[in-house]
Amino acid sequence: MDREPTYGATFVRHLAKLGRHTPYRYEDLQQVKAMSQTELADWIKRECREFSEVIRDNPAEVAAEMVHKRRAELATSSPAACAAECAVSFLELLAHLFS
């Protein structure tokens, strides 16, 4: 019997599909993939309350699209800033994008 994917796994899969890559730390992505919607929202809340609410109020695909959109906007406005941001953790990036 197949288990339904977690909210986090759906989020990471959709984010990867949108960006064709995930420049986040592998450890962060593995942790996110294992989380339910509530767990992910609580984990993110410590660093980024705004995005935590996005997680709580939206399907995983919508949340991933918002991250992808914000990263694209950042890349367009400052390619050097985007390159530097790719080296940070997933939580640090979300805090930067949604602050």
Side-chain angles (χ1 to χ4, degrees):
M1 183 161 106
D2 291 333
R3 289 181 37 192
E4 190 171 319
T6 64
Y7 182 94
T10 302
F11 173 83
V12 169
R13 185 175 50 250
H14 195 67
L15 187 60
K17 186 185 341 177
L18 291 170
R20 293 190 178 83
H21 67 293
T22 51
Y24 313 111
R25 293 183 186 155
Y26 177 78
E27 297 82 19
D28 289 350
L29 295 178
Q30 291 304 104
Q31 189 173 356
V32 168
K33 287 169 78 173
M35 293 182 185
S36 69
Q37 186 171 9
T38 302
E39 291 168 332
L40 184 56
D42 289 346
W43 184 63
I44 290 171
K45 187 176 184 178
R46 290 180 238 147
E47 296 291 328
C48 185
R49 182 172 293 279
E50 178 185 346
F51 194 67
S52 175
E53 292 171 9
V54 168
I55 294 287
R56 284 196 194 280
D57 297 340
N58 293 284
E61 295 85 356
V62 171
E65 288 167 10
M66 291 182 75
V67 171
H68 178 71
K69 181 181 175 194
R70 292 271 178 114
R71 284 197 81 245
E73 290 168 355
L74 179 63
T76 304
S77 67
S78 176
C82 182
E85 291 301 322
C86 291
V88 300
S89 76
F90 184 66
L91 272 178
E92 290 169 335
L93 179 62
L94 289 178
H96 179 76
L97 292 175
F98 290 92
S99 296

